[in-house]
């Protein structure tokens, strides 16, 4: 029982990057240097954020950390061209605001819809020109000004200081899943989606990297076709990934750990402070004691945008209640969503009363069984 409980708690390290335990398993210096060198430092974003430092929010709770995880839809680079034409720009296909509590006793991952209408500040493009502030869908920010523009947009939207950021592309995501020998999901019905290059039977299915990418990106054949439903599926997949890491003792087995480390670090672009194994390890070394039931996933409260039903807007005051809790490092609870007949999810909870010590939002935790 003690060993099982320990393994459950170790799984949390996988949520940011499985590589973070590298120093704890005695990786040799040559290997350590190679893996550390895989990570790309986002120096341009650091310079851009420094330019606007005076307008950025301040951190309110010492020790709490907020990391913006960005899944890029870039078609450039080896292996990515198969997912569509490279238009010369990239957008944030998936964005998650990850809050680590100051006491390192909980992790809250909040998905931000790519079609959410937000105020995007003026941002510098790669060519040095400046965009105009505008009301745009959220993923426009990344296309216009990269990770720095996304960070400034999130900070303006939430009032939360972003301490670090991590960008991963399609190919890196696939390699990470393949390095883990696949991740198990559960489908109530078979899936046949040509656009997502996805054909799967019903029931428990272990997805390889290519299939996993199709699964988390599909919209037409899974759920109700909405981006919100797709984000719920992505959250469940991340929970399943954490469970896979813990069940295989990956973090304690150097032979299993190295290919995961290599895949994860090769796919990352991060702020300079995280651009090494040591920087990443220092960030999350306390997370291995967090039980998976305290790793929570939810989507920011949203509804159809009044000006365009194909876009989203925040639901207030629920969204501000969530942002305030994260800013002040106060508890947030989630109520389990249940899977619908197509493999998507139906939300089963709403934010709790204003006076509740821990408002409850619809979501799930990393310890939920994929078929329940």
């Amino acid at each position: 029982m003690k060993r099982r409980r320990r393994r459950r708690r170790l799984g949390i390290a996988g949520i940011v990057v499985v590589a973070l335990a590298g120093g704890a398993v005695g990786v040799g210096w040559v290997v350590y240097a190679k893996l550390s060198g895989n990570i790309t430092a986002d120096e341009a974003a650091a310079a851009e954020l420094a330019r606007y430092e005076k307008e950025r929010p301040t951190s309110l709770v010492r020790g709490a950390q907020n990391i913006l995880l960005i899944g890029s839809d870039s078609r450039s680079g080896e292996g990515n061209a198969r997912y569509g034409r490279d238009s010369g720009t990239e957008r944030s296909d998936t964005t998650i605001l990850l809050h680590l509590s100051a006491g390192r006793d909980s992790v809250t991952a909040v998905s931000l819809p790519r079609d959410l209408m937000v105020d995007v500040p003026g941002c510098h493009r790669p060519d040095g020109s400046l965009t105009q502030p505008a009301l745009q869908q959220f993923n426009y920010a990344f296309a216009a000004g990269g990770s720095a523009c996304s960070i400034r947009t999130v900070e303006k939207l939430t009032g939360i200081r972003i301490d670090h950021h991590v960008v991963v592309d399609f190919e890196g995501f696939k390699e990470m899943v393949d390095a883990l020998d696949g991740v198990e999901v559960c489908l109530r019905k078979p899936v046949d989606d040509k656009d997502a290059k996805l054909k799967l039977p019903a029931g428990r299915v272990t997805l390889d990297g290519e299939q996993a990418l199709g699964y988390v990106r599909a919209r037409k054949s899974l759920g109700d076709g909405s981006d919100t439903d797709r984000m719920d599926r992505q959250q469940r997949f991340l929970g399943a990934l954490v469970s896979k890491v813990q069940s295989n003792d990956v973090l304690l087995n150097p032979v299993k750990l190295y290919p995961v480390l290599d895949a994860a670090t090769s796919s990352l672009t991060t702020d300079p402070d995280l651009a090494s194994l040591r920087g990443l390890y220092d960030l999350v070394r306390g997370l291995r004691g967090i039980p998976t039931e305290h790793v929570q996933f939810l989507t920011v409260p949203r509804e159809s945008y009044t000006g365009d039903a194909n876009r989203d807007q925040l639901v207030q005051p629920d969204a501000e209640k969530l942002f305030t809790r994260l800013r002040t490092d106060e508890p947030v609870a989630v109520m389990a969503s249940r899977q619908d007949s197509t493999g998507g999810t139906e939300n089963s909870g709403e934010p709790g009363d204003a006076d509740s010590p821990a408002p409850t939002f619809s979501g799930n935790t990393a310890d939920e069984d994929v078929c329940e």
Side-chain angles (χ1 to χ4, degrees), residues 20 23-24 31-32 50 99 101 106 111 122-123 173 183 200 216 220 233 239 242-243 269 292 317 346 358 364 367:
L20 308 186
V31 174
Y32 179 92
H99 176 75
S101 67
S106 69
S111 294
C123 297
F173 173 84
V183 174
L200 301 169
V216 299
K220 297 180 180 179
R233 195 180 328 122
V242 171
S243 296
T269 298
T292 50
E346 295 179 6
N364 62 281
D367 69 330

Side-chain angles (χ1 to χ4, degrees), residues 179 321 354:
K321 183 188 302 183

Side-chain angles (χ1 to χ4, degrees), residues 72-145:
S72 164
D73 70 355
S74 172
R75 269 68 172 178
S76 62
E78 183 179 356
N80 286 335
R82 77 190 73 175
Y83 304 114
R85 181 175 61 87
D86 182 7
S87 63
T89 63
E90 55 183 320
R91 295 199 176 194
S92 50
D93 193 66
T94 299
T95 304
I96 295 175
L97 174 58
L98 191 70
H99 176 75
L100 314 180
S101 67
R104 297 300 187 264
D105 53 6
S106 69
V107 176
T108 302
V110 181
S111 294
L112 300 172
R114 63 182 184 177
D115 293 334
L116 184 68
M117 298 302 293
V118 297
D119 290 318
V120 179
C123 297
H124 285 89
R125 296 188 180 98
D127 64 5
S129 61
L130 185 66
T131 65
Q132 293 298 311
L135 178 65
Q136 287 277 3
Q137 62 192 72
F138 175 65
N139 67 348
Y140 165 80
F142 192 74

